[in-house]
Amino acid sequence: PEPEEAVSDDSSRHGGRVRRFPHERGSWATHVYLPCRVQEEFLELLELLVSRARTYVASLAAMEEFHLSLSQCVVLRYHWIDPFVRSLKERLAPFHRFFCVADQVKVYTNENKTRTFIGLEVSAGHFQLLELVSEVDRVLEEFDLPTFYKDPSFHISLAWCVGDMSGRLEGQCLRELQDIVDGFEDAALLLRVQWDQVRCKSGNKYFSFPLR
């Protein structure tokens, strides 16, 4: 029997967020990403950024966990999960740990413009990320699933809100947020992130793939 996956399409129960696709029994939302462990000083910087951005969009909420996406959110049938994970493990096995610098503030919206994000875009380490995405894409293609975006803007999301608020956050707000990052003590060291594992979340299951 298939394990039950907790399901709710009531957007009021998760901050007004809307599903990109309707839930179907046996279909598991799946995402491949690099998990980001942050230091206490990073949370201090986050608080400064969100406080300033809220003067432009009061509904902004800080992220509680941080990651860098290597795939879109795709739908896997339950019986595909194990072979999908095995294929990921095989393709990611040769990769070594590496560093990125994520220090450029940028505003993003999701594809259907139902959410807006403030993120830190990667300014160094792009090549290694593209290599990882290339292997993840090959696994997705094996299962006839959508691959990652062409020419992706790799980033770590910091805060989000419902709706398309990009017009309010870009321009003056974005310049002020970048000034905060540039002027933050030890920002150069703080925003140099080491990646030591890739993770895959499928429904309520998590799988980790350590980098060498």
Side-chain angles (χ1 to χ4, degrees), residues 59-203:
S59 60
L60 273 168
M63 305 294 286
E64 296 178 1
E65 295 182 348
F66 306 93
H67 69 268
L68 189 150
S69 292
L70 299 175
S71 79
Q72 300 187 57
C73 188
V74 298
V75 178
L76 272 182
R77 303 298 295 175
Y78 175 71
H79 60 275
W80 289 351
I81 295 175
D82 284 346
F84 183 86
V85 168
R86 284 197 300 271
S87 188
L88 267 182
K89 182 178 180 180
E90 182 180 320
R91 289 202 172 272
L92 297 176
F95 283 90
H96 292 264
R97 300 178 183 192
F98 65 100
F99 285 95
C100 279
V101 177
D103 58 1
Q104 301 300 306
V105 185
K106 195 163 178 180
V107 175
Y108 299 89
T109 56
N110 63 352
E111 283 185 277
N112 50 10
K113 306 290 186 183
T114 58
R115 278 186 282 168
T116 304
F117 299 86
I118 295 172
L120 286 173
E121 186 181 33
V122 166
S123 62
H126 201 264
F127 176 75
Q128 292 95 325
L129 292 169
L130 285 174
E131 286 192 315
L132 274 176
V133 165
S134 176
E135 294 305 314
V136 174
D137 276 353
R138 290 188 180 196
V139 177
L140 292 165
E141 286 169 347
E142 289 176 31
F143 292 83
D144 203 21
L145 294 169
T147 55
F148 204 41
Y149 307 105
K150 301 294 183 193
D151 193 23
S153 172
F154 293 111
H155 64 278
I156 300 167
S157 292
L158 302 177
W160 70 279
C161 62
V162 172
D164 182 359
M165 299 295 175
S166 55
R168 296 192 201 177
L169 294 171
E170 289 170 346
Q172 182 61 30
C173 177
L174 198 58
R175 286 190 290 273
E176 291 178 14
L177 297 181
Q178 189 65 56
D179 286 344
I180 291 173
V181 170
D182 294 343
F184 194 77
E185 188 177 2
D186 295 328
L189 185 62
L190 191 61
L191 302 178
R192 186 172 183 259
V193 185
Q194 183 183 34
W195 307 112
D196 57 14
Q197 65 171 298
V198 176
R199 192 169 290 172
C200 175
K201 180 179 185 291
S202 189

